[in-house]
Amino acid sequence: MLFMHWNRFLKFAGSFLAMSGCTLGSNTPVASDLDSAAYVELGKSLFFETAWSKNGAVSCAHCHRPEFAYSDTLSMAGGNAFGVPARNIPSLLGVSLKSTLNWDGGVRSLEEQALIPLHAEGDFGLPPAESLKRLQGKDYLSKCKPNLNLKTAVTALARFQESLQLPEPLIDKDYRAGLVWFKNKNCQNCHAGPTFSDGQFHRLKGVKTSTDLGRYRITGMPQDSFAFITPALPTSWLSPPFLHDGQAKNLHEAMQAHGLEFSPAEIQVLELFLQRLAGMGAKKNSSATPQPPFL
Ligand code: HEC
Ligand code: HEC
């Protein structure tokens, strides 16, 4: 299984490189000082760093763009030499609340996740030692003696990503009306909890399938074919289009993928609800009708 492969890789990389640990301001190797602000700061610098990619132009933020809730507004990205299919980029806001990562749940930690783009051809595409070498002399590594190692780098990236919070919802009459509608339609059977996701995998009735088998890639169980994780909703409006491959350009299409047909008035209720969940609304933003960032 792919995720076993990466788990083993991380373990190997961690034990191999821990011996030449980087320390930040103290003699404690940062890898055991997980909450430090220095860690988050280092992770942030690395997240925006392009120097460690093969062509010198790719960073995590290249795809996970801060202005779109650390996602983007394209349908799909990625797809790499490890056979990971191209997919709609998930937002990283609130990512620490998720127990499995990626649309198929094939990755279980942020540290493990970071290794995939870092070393995949088509993303960063360099072997670990080489990519780290390219960071030598960077100002933000001045406290990092003697060298940054891979374990520290992925741990710092993880701590930074954990610091990215979900948007604060705007609670007003549109939020309340939306929530009542949402509950009445049993959306919470799957979109439940703080992220509005049960963390489970479902194949929606009306979803258009492709060569991407979804959860099946991980479990190999036929009933998991074309099943994808229930996405978090507070960031949905900030990074359209919707669904694992961006096949739904609007909420009407997203609902059709669920096998559901709603009137324009109901779609409007849902739209306002998703905007409020994302912290957007008439009260906060003086322009009367909030527009999604892609229009
Ligand atoms: C080429 C575009 C691209 C780059 C560069 C990229 N990512 Fe991603 N990222 C994606 C895509 C696409 C997915 C979804 C993959 C899937 O579901 O299989 C993803 C998924 C993730 C996830 C899982 C989120 C979730 O909610 O499940 C995390 C975490 C993540 N990326 C972090 C990073 C970090 C850290 C970097 C930099 C080291 C990075 N990404 C670089 C495109 C990219
Ligand atoms: C059976 C579980 C289930 C139920 C019930 C359900 N959803 Fe979903 N929802 C999903 C899954 C799974 C996806 C992603 C499917 C995919 O990408 O193939 C999804 C995707 C979405 C998306 C797109 C989010 C994004 O960012 O891409 C929206 C919006 C959404 N659902 C809203 C709703 C609403 C509103 C209801 C109630 C009318 C509802 N869902 C009921 C499981 C469910």
Side-chain angles (χ1 to χ4, degrees):
M1 290 297 119
L2 188 72
F3 68 90
M4 288 300 291
H5 168 71
W6 282 106
N7 265 340
R8 277 205 302 274
F9 177 72
L10 185 66
K11 231 178 181 171
F12 163 76
S15 56
F16 174 67
L17 292 161
M19 298 187 310
S20 62
C22 144
T23 58
L24 281 181
S26 76
N27 290 327
T28 320
V30 282
S32 61
D33 179 18
L34 302 186
D35 296 323
S36 85
Y39 234 155
V40 175
E41 209 180 300
L42 172 62
K44 185 174 184 180
S45 302
L46 292 173
F47 193 88
F48 290 90
E49 181 59 78
T50 55
W52 54 347
S53 67
K54 198 170 186 175
N55 67 4
V58 176
S59 67
C60 308
H62 176 78
C63 291
H64 298 277
R65 296 171 57 184
E67 65 273 34
F68 299 119
Y70 289 84
S71 173
D72 72 0
T73 55
L74 304 172
S75 306
M76 296 209 264
N80 60 41
F82 297 120
V84 179
R87 289 176 174 163
N88 195 0
I89 302 177
S91 163
L92 299 180
L93 300 184
V95 73
S96 65
L97 300 167
K98 297 180 180 176
S99 54
T100 54
L101 300 173
N102 287 354
W103 283 98
D104 55 23
V107 172
R108 285 175 293 185
S109 75
L110 288 167
E111 288 84 349
E112 196 186 329
Q113 165 66 39
L115 290 170
I116 300 175
L118 275 180
H119 304 122
E121 191 63 45
D123 291 347
F124 288 68
L126 286 176
E130 212 178 308
S131 58
L132 292 174
K133 215 188 281 163
R134 295 236 190 140
L135 301 181
Q136 273 172 11
K138 293 282 172 188
D139 282 354
Y140 56 79
L141 294 182
S142 58
K143 288 189 228 144
C144 198
K145 304 275 190 276
N147 281 311
L148 180 72
N149 68 33
L150 184 62
K151 189 177 181 189
T152 304
V154 295
T155 308
L157 280 169
R159 296 295 89 80
F160 167 63
Q161 293 174 81
E162 283 163 6
S163 76
L164 303 172
Q165 307 285 320
L166 281 179
E168 205 42 58
L170 178 71
I171 309 219
D172 65 358
K173 68 173 180 26
D174 292 320
Y175 174 91
R176 291 193 195 91
L179 191 58
V180 168
W181 180 87
F182 199 76
K183 284 181 177 161
N184 284 341
K185 300 297 173 192
N186 298 321
C187 308
Q188 287 186 322
N189 286 353
C190 302
H191 295 282
T195 62
F196 286 77
S197 166
D198 57 2
Q200 300 300 310
F201 305 86
H202 308 274
R203 178 180 179 175
L204 298 181
K205 280 187 202 127
V207 82
K208 291 186 204 106
T209 56
S210 66
T211 51
D212 187 347
L213 291 167
R215 183 67 177 160
Y216 175 86
R217 290 183 63 245
I218 308 303
T219 64
M221 300 208 289
Q223 65 269 32
D224 287 336
S225 316
F226 307 112
F228 293 91
I229 200 162
T230 307
L233 294 184
T235 48
S236 288
W237 191 257
L238 304 172
S239 62
F242 310 106
L243 306 183
H244 66 274
D245 57 358
Q247 65 180 260
K249 289 188 299 299
N250 52 47
L251 293 176
H252 182 67
E253 289 177 10
M255 292 299 96
Q256 282 179 328
H258 286 67
L260 299 168
E261 201 60 61
F262 292 119
S263 69
E266 284 180 291
I267 293 289
Q268 176 72 8
V269 170
L270 174 60
E271 179 173 318
L272 289 171
F273 181 54
L274 291 183
Q275 287 170 358
R276 299 303 178 265
L277 275 183
M280 296 168 73
K283 275 189 201 148
K284 226 178 193 179
N285 178 346
S286 56
S287 67
T289 318
Q291 291 297 315
F294 59 106
L295 288 182

